[in-house]
Amino acid sequence: MLPGRLCLVPLLLALGVGSSSSSGDGGDSRRRRLLAAKVNKHKPWIETSYHGVITENNDTVILDPPLVALDKDAPVPFAGEICAFKIHGQELPFEAVVLNRTSGEGRLRAKSPIDCELQKEYTFIIQAYDCGVGPQEAAWKKSHKAVVHIQVKDVNEFAPTFKEPAYKAIVTEGKIYDSILQVEAIDEDCSPQYSQICNYEIVTTDVPFAIDRNGNIRNTEKLSFDKQHQYEILVTAYDCGQKPAAQDTLVQVDVKPVCKPGWQDWTKRIEYQPGSGSMPLFPSIHLETCDGAVSSLQVTAELQTNYIGKGCDRETYSERSLQKLCGASSGIIDLLPSPSTATNWTAGLLVDSSEMIFKFDGRQGAKIPDGIVPKNLTDQFTITMWMKHGPSPGVRAEKETILCNSDKTEMNRHHYAVYVHNCRLVFLLRKDFDQADTFRPAEFHWKLDQICDKEWHYYVINVEFPVVTLYMDGATYEPYLVTNDWPIHPSHIAMQLTVGACWQGGEVAKPRFAQFFHGSLASLTIRPGKMESQKVISCLQACKEGLDINSLESLGQGIKYHFNPSQSVLVMEGDDIGNINRALQKVSYINSRQFPTAGVRRLRLSSKVQCFGEDVCISIPDVDAYIMVLQAIEPQITLQGTERFWRPAAQFESARGVTLFPDIKIVSTFAKTEASGDTRTTGTAPKSAILEEMLHNLDFCDILVLGGDLDPRQECLELNHSELHQRHLDATNSTAGYSIYGVGSMSRYEQVLHHLRYRNWYPTSLESRRFRIKCSELNGRYTSNEFNLEVSVLHEVRVSDKEHVNHLIVQPPFLQSVHHPESRNSIQRSSVVPSIATVVIIISVCMLVFVVAMGVYRVRIAHQHFLQETEAAKEAEMDWDDSALTITVNPMEKHEGPGHGEDETEGEEEEEAEEGLSSSSSGSDDSEEEEEEGVGRGRHGQSGRSSQSPGKSTWTTAGVINIWK
């Protein structure tokens, strides 16, 4: 093209183009126009329409076809060149630029970021302009108008979002739904690819739900209200660019039960804190009848505690203690006591979970020793027992003996017995022949379901011959069958009383047990000569825990209720459902024990419904709940008092003896946690435990003798029976110690212990005795610390008046390792040799001064210790009196032999006077040292005795030192 354009130059010059004109400026302008008209003949040419695509947030537009302008004036400079592309429209974010003026190539680009979400496409007009005949824009020629359509390409910059932050639906159990609910998410991207939601997904695992591409949620299995009341699932969404939702949505599906008649709004587990009194069991319970036509309703609430020991929470005190608490008459004989040295006939029996419960497996029986129960019972007596019995396979036709009194040898007569036969309780009583020879009632039968229900029940057989009455769980039952029999012929055959089986001593080759019992027994007693009252019987079987009704006055009209004797079963009846609901909400559990046994108490609520003329009435399922009795705060029982003291020997010999525990104190505390401290640094309040005293009973205190049993020939422990009886306590005494038992307050036990005395008829051979006390509550469930006491003897020191003064030089006990037997004779021989005797006397005087000084010091120290101990003893008769300390010493014997002049005697007396004593001796010092050593040995449990004979004293001066009142 360029060579062609060069060829046009001569032509233009020939035509006078570009030549100077002399006609002035106006001529020049005209010539330029003429020249332009002659040179720039054609308009630029472009396509009529363009289609473009631009990606958002980019500035390059891709056009189809490309932007190119052509001009037929080419290759004429300016006229054949393209100088601009212009876009027509307001506030369009595009511009067109010329890339090559000669070729006419151009480009369309964005002036600012393009956002598809604001505008997806643009349409505008574009024109091309040539360069005219010069650099001036006025002569440019423009092309025709072309339409440009630009489409904005989307970028997946937005994540899907759900229209609702959470969704909720309610479904009925037992149904499969095609769609429970629909979730919906949106995307703010502009393109269909990125703005549409292509998929939904359940994020929560292991749930019986599924979701489709449209967001419809359905259940994959039938839902159960009993299994789960509510489901919470998380759902997410994906756009078609597989971008997940920024935040999952929560879908809550509530399962509504199919209307089933039954009790609603009750709690399966009910916690009970000991000491909290009466606690409602069903504060919000109500009955759902599903619009059933109910005419009347009977509700039975049953507290099941049969698996706790003997049923209910009765494992508290021994049977004897319970009988005293209930005011039972004295003389009751326990036939199944806890095994001990005195009651060893139960040692071979099986013990079931408690030392007071005995289990019989059909192979065991116990013989009651002779003398425990009178041979012949009177016309009035009482038999009591706790029994748990159930049917035993294979032994239904056999008698199961509970108590039997039969011939020991020769014959096999049963004089009286209690046994179970075919789930009937039978009491046998055969009277001996007397003046009347007639038929008499002999067998009494009771048919009760409780005898074989494998539950604990309390049985009392009151005999007032010929009338026999049975009390079971406090209720009275008359025998349904009474069989008469002839009296038994009198004989001199001894009888054997047994428990758990009957003794067959005759009519067999070898005496043996027979008719074994299968079950459990406890508290089997017999009271000869008297019957128990209804009040005592009710008290003995009463339960400290049970059901109760708060505010009986607020029960609705027409509500009837009934408790069983132990208040473990409550029956309510009424014809108004609303009144029944309100009455049941007032049923509570109460436990009056201070330290109840922790654990579970089963609770069952059963209902019977009557409807109006309906052949088929609604059925209400039972409510099975349980009460969890929490652990009570355990008490810490502490014994405090004087642990060591000394008493004169004369007090041990006196009729009153020595009071062992004059200041004993029994304190029970429990740890109470309370918040305290500065919370500014930690943010939480630290907890500190403080001790608080609590009052409760004790059931025994054992005083044990340590270091060997008591010798009944010279020592014993004593306690006035009046002290026990006034406080309703009992005691047993043995050489091993003293046991005080019975339910009583801690203060009662303190008062009794204050009067316990120890006597010893020969205290001269005794240095000390040690004792230990340990107390208990609830049969050893809570025990105290072991309190140890050591009591020592202060011996009377007697000094012989016939010994020679030279015996002053006898070695003290701590020098016995170098003491020679012949020293006594050598000293006596020294009186024959004056020179040696003089030296010995001088040495003796020096040692005398030293020994006397040490003796006085030790006497005073011992005296002060004794004062401190006796001041703490709280009894005036034990107090130490300083005025009673007197020292009586006979004049020392004077010897005529050489070496014993008056000067030496006077010098010795002057030295003694300087020590503040009227007279003293080495023997007194020796005595004090022996006492101190003896006390020390007593404290460490060692024994020490002087090798001297009782009738001879080792003291070298005559006199007696009395140090007590």
Side-chain angles (χ1 to χ4, degrees), residues 281-293:
L281 296 175
F282 311 106
S284 303
I285 197 170
H286 64 277
L287 181 63
E288 175 63 60
T289 61
C290 296
D291 300 327

Side-chain angles (χ1 to χ4, degrees), residues 2-23:
L2 183 59
R5 289 187 179 186
L6 293 177
C7 293
L8 292 176
V9 175
L11 178 61
L12 294 175
L13 292 175
L15 293 175
V17 176
S19 61
S20 59
S21 177
S22 59
S23 61

Side-chain angles (χ1 to χ4, degrees), residues 801 889-894 919 957-958:
D801 57 354
V889 182
N890 290 339
M892 299 177 60
E893 293 184 0
K894 297 181 181 180
S919 178
T957 60

Side-chain angles (χ1 to χ4, degrees), residues 450-470:
Q450 291 86 343
I451 294 173
C452 280
D453 64 358
K454 294 185 179 180
E455 304 291 350
W456 281 103
H457 299 284
Y458 187 59
Y459 299 87
V460 178
I461 300 176
N462 261 352
V463 179
E464 190 174 16
F465 194 79
V467 178
V468 178
T469 305
L470 172 68

